[in-house]
Amino acid sequence: SELAAYQFAGVLPGNDCMPPKLYVGNLAASTTQASLKSLFASFGEVASARVAVDRETGDPKGCGFVRMTTDQASDDAIVGLN
């Protein structure tokens, strides 16, 4: 699977209105925003999912960011996928 080797490298702080943004590393080059969002959707509603790309080449950097809609969904995703 394209997401088989992902790992969490950290959690970026959220604020009073939004849960923290999750950093996801070791993504395959074939990972899309849709597949990243789909993976995390099994743990709750995904507010945003983004695969980081190089600004000049457009090539994926092998990492991404996901923000869930609740702290509980974020915690569940960390436990379930780590």
Side-chain angles (χ1 to χ4, degrees):
S1 157
E2 64 188 34
L3 299 172
Y6 63 84
Q7 69 180 32
F8 286 104
V11 176
L12 304 174
N15 57 41
D16 292 339
C17 298
M18 289 297 291
K21 186 180 288 186
L22 306 176
Y23 171 85
V24 186
N26 278 352
L27 295 176
S30 60
T31 302
T32 64
Q33 289 183 176
S35 62
L36 186 60
K37 184 175 182 175
S38 176
L39 175 69
F40 279 80
S42 62
F43 298 97
E45 186 177 351
V46 178
S48 65
R50 185 175 66 87
V51 174
V53 295
D54 185 276
R55 289 181 189 176
E56 293 183 21
T57 65
D59 294 335
K61 291 185 172 184
C63 63
F65 300 91
V66 176
R67 189 181 301 268
M68 306 299 284
T69 58
T70 66
D71 288 331
Q72 184 62 53
S74 295
D75 293 343
D76 291 347
I78 292 169
V79 170
L81 295 173
N82 221 358

